[in-house]
């Protein structure tokens, strides 16, 4: 049975943030709010937790996981970014985007797509998510909480509790959120490639 925290969306309680991060550090899977609906998250090095997320989402083998980062200072640790790509990312973060980039050797091989060696990177515009990242001190391995057979992210934390309380370790109630997932932009080539249209406007990348 998962824990269920009510965390204030504008003034996250430090005590609850610390407890949530401890659950992550102990190998847990959490549901947490972002600026594009709720997400599933775990620590980068926790293979068992990652496998649990794959099972919940019923993800295909080539799914791009996302490293949710606190700011752009972490980009160079996990991805190779051209000057053009960096400017595009800088001008559109924090926000409703996931950027597909070429992964560095710092990224565990199991997190990359097998053929292209890429990783998703994003910086959310959500105070709870940013508080978790600040306390954790490293990115959270994440994917949007889109349940099998559905196309939109989960937005109601009480419904999430009904559906997933036996499959995750913590559900953070950060209020009702939007249902659209992030817009996904592939920046591995010279020209941006729009992979998925979601919450973020595509105009800057066309």
């Amino acid at each position: 049975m998962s824990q269920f925290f009510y965390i204030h969306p504008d003034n996250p309680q430090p005590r609850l943030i610390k407890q949530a991060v401890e659950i992550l550090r102990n190998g847990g899977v959490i549901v947490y709010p972002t600026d594009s609906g709720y997400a599933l998250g775990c620590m980068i090095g926790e293979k068992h937790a990652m496998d649990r997320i794959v099972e919940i989402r019923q993800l295909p083998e080539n799914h791009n996981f996302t490293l949710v980062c606190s700011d752009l200072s972490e980009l160079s640790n996990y991805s190779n970014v051209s000057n053009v790509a960096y400017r595009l990312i800088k001008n559109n973060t924090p926000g409703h985007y996931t950027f597909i980039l070429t992964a560095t050797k710092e990224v565990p091989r199991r997190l990359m797509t097998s053929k292209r060696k890429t990783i998703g990177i994003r910086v959310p515009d959500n105070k709870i998510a940013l508080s978790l990242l600040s306390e954790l001190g490293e990115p959270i391995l994440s994917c949007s909480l889109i349940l099998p057979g559905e196309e939109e992210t989960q937005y109601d934390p009480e419904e999430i509790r009904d559906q997933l309380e036996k499959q995750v370790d913590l559900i953070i109630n950060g209020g009702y959120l939007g249902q659209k997932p992030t817009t996904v932009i592939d920046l591995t080539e010279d020209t941006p490639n729009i992979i998925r249209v979601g919450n973020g406007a595509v105009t800057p990348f066309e």
Side-chain angles (χ1 to χ4, degrees):
M1 192 70 70
S2 64
Q3 297 191 60
F4 193 75
F5 292 175
Y6 291 90
I7 297 185
H8 196 283
D10 296 318
N11 297 292
Q13 303 94 312
R15 175 180 61 84
L16 294 178
I17 292 294
K18 287 180 182 293
Q19 289 181 31
V21 167
E22 278 306 303
I23 290 170
L24 281 171
R25 287 180 174 148
N26 288 330
V29 172
I30 71 169
V31 173
Y32 71 102
T34 75
D35 50 352
S36 296
Y38 280 87
L40 289 159
C42 68
M43 294 282 288
I44 292 173
E46 292 290 342
K47 183 181 184 303
H48 178 64
M50 176 183 163
D51 290 342
R52 289 168 62 195
I53 291 175
V54 169
E55 184 176 348
I56 291 168
R57 282 283 316 270
Q58 295 182 17
L59 293 172
E61 186 177 335
N62 63 346
H63 181 81
N64 259 307
F65 273 89
T66 298
L67 298 182
V68 176
C69 303
S70 58
D71 56 47
L72 295 187
S73 67
E74 295 174 316
L75 268 184
S76 60
N77 290 336
Y78 300 100
S79 61
N80 296 310
V81 191
S82 69
N83 291 334
V84 172
Y86 182 82
R87 284 194 295 271
L88 282 170
I89 295 169
K90 184 177 180 182
N91 290 338
N92 293 281
T93 54
H96 313 289
Y97 298 97
T98 298
F99 299 101
I100 305 300
L101 301 164
T102 304
T104 65
K105 292 180 180 179
E106 294 297 315
V107 178
R109 189 175 295 274
R110 66 178 177 274
L111 304 187
M112 307 179 208
T113 55
S114 57
K115 293 182 179 179
R116 299 185 59 209
K117 303 296 186 281
T118 56
I119 189 72
I121 301 281
R122 74 172 302 233
V123 180
D125 188 11
N126 178 282
K127 291 183 179 178
I128 294 174
L130 292 172
S131 295
L132 290 170
L133 292 162
S134 176
E135 179 67 25
L136 183 62
E138 63 179 87
I140 298 174
L141 176 67
S142 300
C143 66
S144 298
L145 180 46
I146 304 173
L147 293 175
E150 300 186 7
E151 296 182 356
E152 296 180 324
T153 54
Q154 295 295 303
Y155 69 97
D156 183 340
E158 295 293 344
E159 285 191 9
I160 294 170
R161 186 180 194 176
D162 290 341
Q163 293 173 305
L164 295 182
E165 66 177 348
K166 294 182 180 179
Q167 296 175 265
V168 299
D169 301 288
L170 169 66
I171 298 167
I172 294 176
N173 183 335
Y176 291 95
L177 304 176
Q179 291 177 268
K180 280 191 175 182
T182 56
T183 292
V184 179
I185 309 293
D186 188 332
L187 294 177
T188 57
E189 305 292 341
D190 293 336
T191 302
N193 182 19
I194 299 166
I195 303 297
R196 179 180 73 194
V197 178
N199 229 348
V202 298
T203 309
F205 307 97
E206 291 178 327

